[in-house]
Each structure stands twice: as structure tokens, then as C-alpha cells.
Amino acid sequence: MRIVAIINQKGGVGKTTTTANLCHAIAESGLKVTAIDLDPQGHLAVSFGVTGQNNGGIDEVMLKQKGIRQQLISVRDNLQLITSGSRLKDIEQLADNNSPRGVLLKNALNGCLNDQDFVFIDCPPSSGLLVANALIAADEILIPMASDFLALQGLSHLMSTIKRFEKALKRNYKTLLVMSRYSPDRRISSQVLNVLLTHFPEQILATVIRETALLAECPSFGKTILEYSPKSRSARDFRSLALDFLEDKVMYGNK
């Protein structure tokens, strides 16, 4: 089982869009995938058409009220979801001196989802306790990037955070980036991509996700792009991205 944190401390870069569609594309290939909505906003559940989160989700697991397998919801073939739950935001204020707060998710996952090929964690746009839990639990990191210079500045802060965790945990994450909101017609898009290729050689997945209105529309119907518009360019992008992720296909040199 590979545990992947999908993370970027900057909002609006396409984390949830990437999580929902990449998870579905990988599940379509026959692999077993669990997606965890670790963002109190609960947008990942909405993207899969799941409503009524008052029943609880990963919040109750981290608060040690329920086991993780009790919270699994089958949302597509080979794909299950653990919602955020209405109390997830309370984790940030958790003050339990009897156990380390940063390992709640890691402990919850330990040995419980070994029948899965992948666990993807959709992280909130912050650097608080929830993100710390995701980083401690994860083996790999996937960073969605928008093609603007503010996203580059946010990435610098995120990489510093990751390096601090690597040092503290005495480990090295496998870290990949994906251009998740790429606009081919904007010069800034290619400029940002070239900067990333210079600083993160062989770490950017080969397929860029081109920004389209379809990707913004499909969550309102509770569908991924693979269902909402299966023959669209965006659906082809995500199926290609899934193959890149599974086969470690990355970009080389300046694009």
C-alpha cells in the first residue's frame, strides 16, 4: 500500500480536483484506491456526490471514536472514500497531552487498509496539525501547481516544510509535482513550468492538466470528469496523468 499526501499550502491550485479525478482514473485501471478527505471544507466528498457528512468521517477516527474501516464509503468501482466529518476542524485545537497529536492519522491507518493499493490524502490549504498528520502518515507527496508566480512563492514555503519533516522523521519522501491548472495560451504558464523544470528536474509528471470550464463544472453534479465528460480533453489528461503516476513518467529539460 502506498500512502500519498496531495498537498499545497496555497489554495486554488487544484488539490481536490486532482485528488478526485486522479483517484478515479487509477481505480478505473483496476487498482484499489481509498481517498481520505482531510480538509474540513469537505469538497472531496462533494466531488464524488457524497452528502450528509454529519454522520462523521476521518474526524471520528482521529478522535478515536471509531475505527477507520467503519468510515469507508464505496463511491466507485475499486474506489472508496473517507469523508472529513463535521468535527475535523476540531483536531487543530486538540489538546491531549497523553499522546502525540501528529500521529493520529498514521496510527489510524496502521495495518488497517492493507488490502488497498493506494491511499490518497486530500490535504487542507494550511500548515497546521492536519497537514502534519498527513505528512507523518504518508510515504509520498504529490504537489498540484497552478501556473502563476504566486504559486511558485507558496511552493518555496511548502518545500521548506517538507524538508523540516524529513529531517525530524529521518526519511526522504518521494515527491512529485503536477501542473494542475495549466493554460497553454498564457505565456506565464510556460514560464512557470520552465522555472519548475529548472529547480525540480525529473519531479514533474509528464502530463499537464489543462484548465477548462468542465473541470469546474463536474463537482456540482457529484461526478468526476471521467463521468461528466468521458471523451473530453480533460478526461484524457487525467487518464494520461494516472499512467504517468503509475509508471513514474516525468518531464525532462525545459518545455
Side-chain angles (χ1 to χ4, degrees):
M1 179 180 67
R2 293 165 60 182
I3 303 175
V4 185
I6 298 185
I7 183 171
N8 193 320
Q9 293 160 341
K10 184 181 184 302
V13 297
K15 287 188 299 297
T16 300
T17 298
T18 299
T19 305
N21 291 289
L22 179 60
C23 284
H24 193 190
I26 291 175
E28 266 195 347
S29 74
L31 295 170
K32 293 182 179 180
V33 180
T34 294
I36 297 177
D37 193 349
L38 204 64
D39 187 340
Q41 296 176 94
H43 290 168
L44 183 60
V46 174
S47 298
F48 286 126
V50 175
T51 57
Q53 293 191 68
N54 290 334
N55 295 329
I58 198 64
D59 58 344
E60 293 184 343
V61 177
M62 295 176 72
L63 291 167
K64 302 179 182 179
Q65 295 172 346
K66 290 186 179 178
I68 200 164
R69 297 199 72 88
Q70 293 177 266
Q71 308 298 73
L72 294 171
I73 301 170
S74 178
V75 289
R76 305 292 187 272
D77 289 345
N78 299 318
L79 177 56
Q80 51 193 11
L81 169 72
I82 302 174
T83 65
S84 57
S86 59
R87 297 183 61 195
L88 187 59
K89 59 183 180 296
D90 298 340
I91 301 292
E92 296 284 1
Q93 283 79 47
L94 195 61
D96 181 0
N97 295 323
N98 295 322
S99 61
R101 299 180 302 157
V103 297
L104 296 173
L105 182 58
K106 180 180 176 65
N107 289 344
L109 286 169
N110 188 29
C112 292
L113 295 175
N114 289 340
D115 60 326
Q116 298 296 291
D117 295 297
F118 289 96
V119 172
F120 285 93
I121 306 168
D122 185 25
C123 297
S126 69
S127 55
L129 184 60
L130 291 173
V131 170
N133 268 270
L135 287 172
I136 291 171
D139 310 303
E140 306 174 31
I141 296 170
L142 181 62
I143 304 172
M145 284 291 298
S147 49
D148 62 66
F149 278 109
L150 289 179
L152 284 177
Q153 288 187 318
L155 179 61
S156 175
H157 177 62
L158 173 58
M159 296 310 294
S160 296
T161 299
I162 291 171
K163 288 185 185 302
R164 286 201 304 273
F165 273 83
E166 287 181 327
K167 184 177 181 180
L169 300 172
K170 296 181 173 60
R171 64 190 296 187
N172 291 312
Y173 293 104
K174 177 181 179 180
T175 302
L176 293 170
L177 289 78
V178 55
M179 296 302 299
S180 59
R181 298 188 64 182
Y182 190 81
S183 300
D185 298 330
R186 296 172 62 212
R187 185 170 63 180
I188 185 109
S189 292
S190 59
Q191 290 174 336
V192 169
L193 180 52
N194 284 333
V195 170
L196 290 173
L197 283 166
T198 299
H199 290 91
F200 301 95
E202 300 180 32
Q203 286 184 265
I204 305 170
L205 290 171
T207 299
V208 299
I209 302 300
R210 292 164 286 188
E211 188 162 22
T212 65
L214 287 173
L215 286 172
E217 292 169 9
C218 53
S220 64
F221 294 90
K223 295 181 177 181
T224 69
I225 193 65
L226 308 185
E227 302 158 315
Y228 183 66
S229 186
K231 296 182 179 179
S232 66
R233 182 179 70 179
S234 296
R236 292 196 302 272
D237 282 353
F238 270 104
R239 288 192 174 101
S240 177
L241 183 72
L243 284 175
D244 291 348
F245 183 81
L246 293 174
E247 298 174 2
D248 285 326
K249 289 179 61 178
V250 295
M251 295 184 193
Y252 296 90
N254 284 357
K255 192 173 179 66

